[in-house]
């Protein structure tokens, strides 16, 4: 799985491993991966990589195949966000969001699918966002990339229906992770609020009145892995913010 160095990815890795799957952990920072690996049951593979590298998908899948055989469960959790007014969003920011949040998952999905189809079984789960389900101000590049990711999931699920391979997205709201910490800091810097006030504002965006936990997102991922009847879905884990 990608994005396994912290936050949602690390939580999902632990839950997938606890459910009995051998887990390959990938992220850019080897030290973070080593720390997570120490909390994961079994003997995970640690595979540092920048998933935006065009060769990363083949390198990661090939490493898993050499160790264990074809990838059976692919969790696409690597991602990042950027916030700025539309008119101030640079080409570089736009391209970075598309490369990390959409193109990298596409390459990994494309590489893993043939072996899953041959085996007659596979599970693919992408971590999207509520920003894949509705427009939000100041995050045009991020929202576009996540809308695209949900479209990729739906198209792949429709194409693979009947093969034994399911493809789903989990769409969290604001999760208590380092990524949200960065969002809080950006809001505080932009608005003059204290970090505590900025965090409280994000909590109020969700009807349950708090941030989502990474483990709650992992619950939805495990549901997708366990079910053959759930495919083509964008599952909200957002405290009721988007009623889909």
């Amino acid at each position: 799985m990608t994005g396994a160095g912290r936050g949602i990815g690390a939580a999902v890795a632990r839950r997938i491993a606890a459910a009995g799957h051998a887990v390959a952990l990938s992220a850019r920072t080897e030290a973070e991966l080593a720390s997570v690996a120490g909390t994961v049951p079994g003997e995970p593979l640690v595979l540092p990589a920048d998933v935006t590298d065009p060769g990363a998908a083949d390198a990661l899948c090939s490493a898993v195949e050499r160790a264990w055989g074809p990838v059976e469960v692919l969790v696409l959790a690597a991602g990042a966000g950027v916030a700025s007014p539309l008119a101030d969003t640079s080409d570089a920011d736009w391209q970075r969001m598309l490369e990390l949040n959409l193109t990298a998952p596409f390459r990994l999905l494309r590489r893993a699918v043939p072996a899953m189809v041959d085996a007659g079984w596979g599970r693919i789960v992408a971590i999207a966002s509520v920003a894949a389900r509705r427009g939000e101000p100041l995050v045009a590049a991020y929202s576009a990339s996540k809308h695209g990711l949900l479209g990729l999931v739906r198209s792949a699920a429709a194409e693979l229906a009947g093969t034994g391979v399911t493809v789903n997205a989990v769409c969290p709201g604001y999760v208590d992770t380092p990524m949200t910490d960065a969002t809080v800091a950006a809001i505080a810097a932009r608005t003059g609020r204290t970090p505590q006030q900025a965090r409280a504002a994000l909590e109020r965006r969700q009807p349950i009145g708090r941030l989502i936990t990474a483990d709650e997102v992992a619950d939805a991922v495990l549901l997708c892995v366990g079910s053959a009847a759930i495919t083509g879905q964008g599952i909200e884990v957002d405290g009721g913010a988007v009623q889909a």
Side-chain angles (χ1 to χ4, degrees):
M1 65 171 297
T2 66
R6 55 183 177 170
I8 291 171
V12 173
R14 286 189 284 267
R15 295 291 296 281
I16 291 281
H21 297 275
V23 177
L25 308 173
S26 184
R28 287 179 299 175
T29 305
E30 187 168 6
E32 288 185 345
L33 289 177
S35 178
V36 172
T39 69
V40 171
E43 297 183 6
L45 288 181
V46 174
L47 304 173
D50 178 354
V51 292
T52 64
D53 185 322
D58 184 60
L60 289 170
C61 290
S62 294
V64 172
E65 289 163 355
R66 287 192 297 270
W68 298 326
V71 174
E72 296 177 329
V73 177
L74 175 62
V75 180
L76 302 164
V82 64
S84 64
L86 178 61
D88 295 334
T89 300
S90 67
D91 284 359
D93 284 339
W94 177 265
Q95 193 62 36
R96 182 167 65 92
M97 291 297 95
L98 293 181
E99 286 290 332
L100 179 57
N101 296 337
L102 180 55
T103 302
F106 160 70
R107 288 175 177 146
L108 280 154
L109 191 153
R110 179 179 62 184
R111 174 61 172 78
V113 157
M116 292 180 177
V117 171
D118 287 345
W121 195 93
R123 299 288 183 266
I124 300 167
V125 187
I127 305 300
S129 168
V130 292
R133 303 302 298 263
R134 66 185 184 192
E136 295 279 358
L138 303 177
V139 289
Y142 177 73
S143 183
S145 69
K146 293 297 188 177
H147 272 72
L149 180 60
L150 185 55
L152 172 64
V153 162
R154 288 169 166 167
S155 183
E159 182 174 328
L160 297 170
T163 67
V165 180
T166 66
V167 191
N168 290 286
V170 173
C171 302
Y174 288 103
V175 184
D176 192 6
T177 63
M179 183 173 171
T180 296
D181 292 340
T183 300
V184 167
I187 292 171
R190 186 174 67 248
T191 65
R193 298 176 185 175
T194 66
Q196 293 77 16
Q197 290 169 330
R199 185 173 294 272
L202 296 184
E203 292 171 347
R204 289 193 297 270
R205 295 289 300 276
Q206 297 164 145
I208 60 174
R210 63 169 176 82
L211 299 180
I212 307 303
T213 71
D215 282 334
E216 287 169 332
V217 181
D219 288 340
V221 174
L222 266 290
L223 176 66
C224 295
V225 172
S227 175
I230 300 173
T231 193
Q233 302 304 308
I235 299 174
E236 317 299 336
V237 186
D238 61 3
V242 175
Q243 296 183 348

